[in-house]
Amino acid sequence: MKETIISLLEGALDTLRQQGVLPADLAPPIKVDPTRDKAHGDYATNLALMLAKPAGRKPRELAEALIAALPESDAISQVEIAGPGFVNFFAATDAAAQVVSKVLDSGDAYGRSLTGQGAKVQVEFVSANPTGPLHVGHGRGAAIGDCICRLLEATGFDVTREFYYNDAGAQISKLALSVQARTKGLDPEDKSWPGDGYRGGYIIDVANAYLAGDTVHADDRHVTAKGDPDDLDAIQAFAVAYLRREQDLDLKAFSVHFDAYFLESSLYQDGKVEATVERLIEKGHTYEQDGALWLRTTDFGDDKDRVMRKSDGQYTYFLPDVAYHFDKWQRGFGCVVNEQGADHHSTVTRVRAGLQALEAGIPQGWPDYVLHQMVMVTRSGVEVKLSKRAGSYVTLRDLIDEVGRDATRFFLAARRADSQLTFDIDLARSQSNDNPVYYVQYAHARVCSMLRRTESDGLPFDYPIAMANLGLLKEAQEKALMNRLARYPEVVEHAAASREPQQVGQYLLDLAADFHTCYNAVKVMVEDDALRNARLSLGLATRQVLRNGLDLMGVSAPEEM
């Protein structure tokens, strides 16, 4: 319907240009939006307000000219002027109802498009160091990142999911020392316990598995423990593999998978860090000061220059980040999205500046970033801070075990990434309309229940009768529901382009609300075969769109609740 109205307005503009009402070279963008109050129609445009000044006319006068110039269309039953010059469109019932047949004919493909034309996109998300179980912050990144991937795939992009992790450095050394201490019977209260060592109960599990000579199969590596408490290198290799496997299991329980794993150590082993330094020096964007090598990132918008190589010869974290992203570019990813925690905010400008300094043809503002804020978990109104397993934070597995995968994913992804999130365990566990994921899933289950009732009553759904009588869907609640169904493809496309999966979450809540309102106001099981089947088809279309949208959120669509 929206596209139909835009097409009609384009025709009206052509007529007004030919009549000399508008300048011949005037080609404004046409914005058409759903109305908030259905008493004012289904869709509205502010086109007359935008064009009043260049046309030299009052907005309402120009709105009248626009309406007079609109081509004839059976899709529109009424057009009227509102306020200072808005033009409101009322969709004809038959035209509005065609969305039902479109949804049912398209099935799972409804809302999907080829906008991306197969372009390659790499999405990096989670990227947790293998030093412990995934915490709720990682879980939020996993939910948002995976939903972004699903949205991009739904709009025609070729998506690669990548997990980057640090398999060397100070944190990994601390992990190895902590496990070694446990293999020797020490605990965090002993004086010889490593400074800043990891104290969680999972360290005991790693140590026991190492001493037992276990073999660990992670997605990207397979390691057999040597069992020697004095072999720190062997302990480190086993501990990293063990915790990688733990993270893999958590992510699989969360319905998240990755296509590629990238090790920070490979940047050094393959000479990519050194090659990046040499290129930056060659391009003339570096200088030495106080024995350190600096990159002049201020030339590219940073607030100060950054050290790449410290006076002791060690590289800063900034440099491998640049080398890693240069590698992404060289792998042919013209579009890269990094979903990370808000603590990475300071790295955005410097990484982009470093990439520009390479003078490799990388566009400014590349890569894209989606940064999520922290998550606070509460139970009975009190913040939950500790996990028995992790020792110092709430793990993703804690939430999945408490409230299930569906509620965890929906709660973590259905809010704007840049907003802080309070995860209310009591709400997520409740079976009430206040629980957003329950409210949406219940709408889907309600349609399924309705269809089971038709079968048990000996009145099965008849598709041909329904399609022949869609014009009977005339009630205001039915029309509101159909208009909502029609907006779904636009929501998906916009959510993918803006990397905002919460738009789909909000749409599903609105769709569920429209359905529940319609269900309570309009009787479906009527004696009239034509009307009953038409209304059943509207329910089926709603069920289909709910299922499609829930799939983009990585959430199931149950048939019974």
Side-chain angles (χ1 to χ4, degrees), residues 233-475:
D233 288 340
I235 290 173
Q236 177 171 309
F238 180 80
V240 168
Y242 187 100
L243 291 169
R244 280 290 308 112
R245 181 188 65 181
E246 291 291 295
Q247 292 178 353
D248 290 341
L249 294 174
D250 287 348
L251 291 168
K252 286 174 182 174
F254 209 40
S255 294
V256 173
H257 77 274
F258 288 90
D259 303 304
Y261 292 89
F262 196 102
L263 281 62
E264 182 185 2
S265 61
S266 70
L267 294 169
Y268 297 93
Q269 294 167 1
D270 298 341
K272 292 176 181 177
V273 171
E274 281 294 337
T276 299
V277 173
E278 291 171 6
R279 184 176 180 117
L280 291 169
I281 293 173
E282 175 193 335
K283 297 301 180 182
H285 296 296
T286 65
Y287 62 92
E288 292 198 27
Q289 181 178 306
D290 301 327
L293 181 64
W294 294 68
L295 180 64
R296 198 174 288 106
T297 53
T298 50
D299 291 347
F300 303 95
D302 202 357
D303 60 344
K304 61 181 180 180
D305 294 340
R306 305 290 175 176
V307 174
M308 295 193 306
R309 188 172 59 217
K310 295 180 286 188
S311 57
D312 63 2
Q314 296 295 311
Y315 291 118
T316 61
Y317 284 113
F318 157 63
L319 187 61
D321 280 348
V322 175
Y324 172 46
H325 285 86
F326 188 36
D327 178 82
K328 293 184 182 186
W329 178 258
Q330 291 176 316
R331 281 187 273 159
F333 292 112
C335 180
V336 166
V337 180
N338 291 340
E339 203 297 329
Q340 298 170 323
D343 57 333
H344 287 80
H345 185 271
S346 60
T347 68
V348 175
T349 300
R350 70 186 70 167
V351 168
R352 286 174 173 170
L355 292 169
Q356 291 302 301
L358 291 169
E359 297 182 16
I362 298 174
Q364 289 187 0
W366 187 96
D368 293 341
Y369 283 87
V370 175
L371 303 180
H372 66 263
Q373 290 287 341
M374 64 177 290
V375 181
M376 180 174 72
V377 181
T378 65
R379 180 189 283 111
S380 302
V382 178
E383 182 178 0
V384 179
K385 294 184 177 181
L386 302 180
S387 160
K388 290 181 181 179
R389 179 161 169 72
S392 59
Y393 57 85
V394 179
T395 69
L396 173 60
R397 176 65 70 169
D398 290 333
L399 285 188
I400 296 174
D401 290 344
E402 281 267 6
V403 305
R405 183 200 67 192
D406 287 347
T408 303
R409 282 193 64 122
F410 197 92
F411 271 59
L412 292 176
R415 288 282 302 277
R416 284 183 60 93
D418 59 4
S419 65
Q420 292 193 355
L421 173 64
T422 297
F423 193 111
D424 185 337
I425 289 177
D426 298 320
L427 178 61
R429 287 171 58 92
S430 70
Q431 295 187 353
S432 71
N433 290 343
D434 293 329
N435 180 347
V437 67
Y438 177 86
Y439 187 67
V440 173
Q441 289 180 319
Y442 179 55
H444 183 274
R446 205 171 197 180
V447 179
C448 295
S449 174
M450 184 170 64
L451 290 169
R452 287 194 296 271
R453 179 183 168 190
T454 65
E455 293 288 343
S456 65
D457 288 351
L459 299 170
F461 173 66
D462 190 306
Y463 179 83
I465 292 178
M467 294 303 100
N469 292 282
L470 293 178
L472 297 177
L473 301 174
K474 297 178 179 179
E475 299 297 331

Side-chain angles (χ1 to χ4, degrees), residues 77-300:
S77 63
Q78 181 182 344
V79 184
E80 65 180 24
I81 302 171
F86 291 97
V87 179
N88 294 341
F89 294 84
F90 294 78
T93 300
D94 287 351
Q98 292 310 307
V99 69
V100 174
S101 61
K102 184 175 182 180
V103 170
L104 295 180
D105 290 345
S106 301
D108 293 344
Y110 183 69
R112 305 182 77 88
S113 70
L114 299 176
T115 304
Q117 298 181 331
K120 291 177 63 176
V121 179
Q122 187 227 51
V123 182
E124 179 206 336
F125 60 111
V126 182
S127 294
N129 289 340
T131 55
L134 297 176
H135 56 60
V136 291
H138 295 136
R140 191 175 193 189
I144 294 172
D146 185 58
C147 287
I148 289 173
C149 292
R150 291 167 183 258
L151 282 164
L152 290 170
E153 288 171 337
T155 48
F157 290 89
D158 179 8
V159 179
T160 297
R161 296 162 162 83
E162 185 153 301
F163 189 120
Y164 173 85
Y165 65 90
N166 176 359
D167 59 334
Q171 298 301 314
I172 301 299
S173 297
K174 186 169 71 173
L175 169 68
L177 289 170
S178 302
V179 174
Q180 184 182 51
R182 283 293 189 182
T183 64
K184 295 186 175 184
L186 301 178
D187 63 47
E189 306 308 316
D190 288 305
K191 292 182 179 179
S192 54
W193 183 263
D196 296 324
Y198 291 101
R199 295 168 171 260
Y202 66 93
I203 296 295
I204 301 174
D205 297 337
V206 178
N208 289 339
Y210 177 78
L211 291 174
D214 288 358
T215 297
V216 171
H217 301 283
D219 275 359
D220 65 320
R221 58 183 62 198
H222 309 282
V223 176
T224 298
K226 288 188 177 181
D228 180 0
D230 294 317
D231 192 335
L232 190 60
D233 288 340
I235 290 173
Q236 177 171 309
F238 180 80
V240 168
Y242 187 100
L243 291 169
R244 280 290 308 112
R245 181 188 65 181
E246 291 291 295
Q247 292 178 353
D248 290 341
L249 294 174
D250 287 348
L251 291 168
K252 286 174 182 174
F254 209 40
S255 294
V256 173
H257 77 274
F258 288 90
D259 303 304
Y261 292 89
F262 196 102
L263 281 62
E264 182 185 2
S265 61
S266 70
L267 294 169
Y268 297 93
Q269 294 167 1
D270 298 341
K272 292 176 181 177
V273 171
E274 281 294 337
T276 299
V277 173
E278 291 171 6
R279 184 176 180 117
L280 291 169
I281 293 173
E282 175 193 335
K283 297 301 180 182
H285 296 296
T286 65
Y287 62 92
E288 292 198 27
Q289 181 178 306
D290 301 327
L293 181 64
W294 294 68
L295 180 64
R296 198 174 288 106
T297 53
T298 50
D299 291 347
F300 303 95

